[in-house]
Amino acid sequence: MLDFHNLAQQINEKKNVILEREKEIKENIHEVLKFLSFLDGQKIEKVLSKIPRKDEKNEILFCLPYYSNFDEFMKGFSCEVQTSYEVFAVDGSNTEIDRHISQPYYLLNIACVEITYDNENSNFNYQTYPYIYLDEELYSRKEAQAIKSSSEISRERQAKEYMAILEYVENSLPKNELRLVLYDGNLIDWTQDRQGLRFGRRANLELERIFRVAKQKNIAVCGFISMPKNSIISNLYRIYNCEKMRIDCKECSREEKRNCEKIERIRDVFLFSHLRSGQHSNVFYTLGRAFDEFEDTDITFVYLATGYEIARIEIPVYVAKDRDWLKKCIGAIYHQCQIGFGYPISLTHAHEFSTISHQDKAAIENMLLGVGDAILPYSAKKNNKVKRIV
């Protein structure tokens, strides 16, 4: 049993530290907002002059407006709400591997939802794709006789989600009507090597393939991130105020880093808390040290006030190139949030259909009876937990 008295003391101590940091963040937000609200070409040039060349190292990501309107850096733009469009949403769930049953397994379940919004021909369809893994499929390829980790299973689930999206775009016919795919999560692969020339702008390789097909079919593939944790926009201020001719965080003392990290803790959503419901930020792209030409599969992003929170919407460059198309996509996503209580209703449906319940797992384990050790279906440890023996 939990010792709540002990925990309460720990929580109160940690609360005080957190509150002190929040007070510090609020003091710095005003300073950063003032800087960003009065950006001009001269300030941007100073920032860019401190960015290392491609053959040098850089640990700071920052962003710039995709359409180069520096004077509108922090401006809010009203959504043009769309009520006539098609949306395809995908989400997946998985179980973990339970080593305390006679036949261990794990399960993936991918759900796809397709909704057409139209005054005359509205439509709703869904499909689920379950996958079960047994025996040798449970082991990692990286290490012999090692059970797959949670992250490996999550990557498999993600690959199945991409397969579902690819199948949808490949089977779609080109249309002029507004169509979008909503993916729950980042389109940017933040695990990529920080020295990659397109770090902070590049989609997952599987998604890049999807983008190429989707572009041909006039389908916008967008990522929706609820409660985003990114802290990129305030980095412009960090770079601008850096005393070095070229930024190199490794050369800074611990005290210098501590002062710099006070700004780093300012999340992007804090800076856009002024957005009213139905407003979105400027369109941004992320830079590290790269100044190469944009590719259609690179990513831009906006922050959108959904009516519940400030969400991050990631949009490929092939869509952002067409400002009218991009505006319509944002308007459709906001419409999704309006009828979904602040979160896209299609993603909510996809999540509900993909969920694997305790009853589902019990049914699967019942189907597996007779496979493996039929005499002892559970280990003694699990058997005691099932019977709730203390």
Side-chain angles (χ1 to χ4, degrees), residues 303-315:
Y303 286 98
L304 172 66
T306 69
Y308 181 86
E309 64 174 348
I310 307 295
R312 176 182 167 106
I313 314 298
E314 294 183 349
I315 304 164

Side-chain angles (χ1 to χ4, degrees), residues 36-237:
L36 295 174
S37 299
F38 296 97
L39 271 183
D40 54 33
Q42 189 174 358
K43 288 180 180 177
I44 295 297
E45 284 300 320
K46 183 177 178 181
V47 169
L48 295 179
S49 69
K50 296 187 177 189
I51 302 301
R53 300 186 304 271
K54 290 184 179 181
D55 58 339
E56 297 175 319
K57 292 183 178 180
N58 173 26
E59 297 178 349
I60 296 182
L61 290 172
F62 65 101
C63 68
L64 291 174
Y66 181 69
Y67 301 118
S68 300
N69 44 342
F70 303 132
D71 58 328
E72 297 181 335
F73 198 94
M74 298 303 297
K75 183 179 176 180
F77 301 86
S78 295
C79 286
E80 298 177 3
V81 181
Q82 304 295 309
T83 57
S84 181
Y85 60 92
E86 294 178 19
V87 59
F88 178 85
V90 61
D91 197 14
S93 63
N94 63 268
T95 62
E96 298 296 326
I97 300 172
D98 186 349
R99 296 184 295 119
H100 291 281
I101 60 177
S102 62
Q103 182 56 61
Y105 71 97
Y106 69 92
L107 188 68
L108 305 182
N109 192 33
I110 310 302
C112 303
V113 171
E114 190 173 352
I115 311 175
T116 301
Y117 294 91
D118 191 286
N119 294 331
E120 297 179 359
N121 300 306
S122 294
N123 197 18
F124 180 97
N125 291 298
Y126 79 92
Q127 180 70 49
T128 59
Y129 301 92
Y131 303 89
I132 191 165
Y133 297 83
L134 301 165
D135 198 27
E136 294 182 0
E137 297 172 319
L138 305 181
Y139 295 97
S140 173
R141 294 181 182 178
K142 295 180 180 179
E143 189 178 347
Q145 299 304 307
I147 294 291
K148 286 179 182 175
S149 66
S150 296
S151 60
E152 286 178 290
I153 296 174
S154 293
R155 283 194 294 273
E156 286 183 353
R157 186 192 71 232
Q158 186 183 65
K160 295 294 186 186
E161 291 169 348
Y162 293 161
M163 280 176 55
I165 295 174
L166 182 61
E167 183 179 351
Y168 169 75
V169 295
E170 284 183 335
N171 293 336
S172 297
L173 296 173
K175 292 182 182 179
N176 292 324
E177 289 82 1
L178 179 61
R179 289 181 297 170
L180 65 152
V181 169
L182 278 184
Y183 179 73
D184 182 23
N186 290 293
L187 300 179
I188 294 177
D189 186 1
W190 295 104
T191 62
Q192 185 181 329
D193 180 5
R194 281 185 175 269
Q195 301 310 316
L197 294 181
R198 291 163 59 208
F199 179 74
R201 289 203 340 239
R202 184 172 187 170
N204 296 282
L205 292 175
E206 297 92 337
L207 277 172
E208 287 193 331
R209 180 185 172 194
I210 291 169
F211 291 164
R212 293 187 184 99
V213 181
K215 179 186 174 185
Q216 298 169 1
K217 305 292 182 71
N218 296 321
I219 300 171
V221 180
C222 304
F224 188 95
I225 300 93
S226 181
M227 198 176 284
K229 302 295 192 296
N230 304 81
S231 297
I232 297 174
I233 290 179
S234 58
N235 283 346
L236 270 175
Y237 182 73

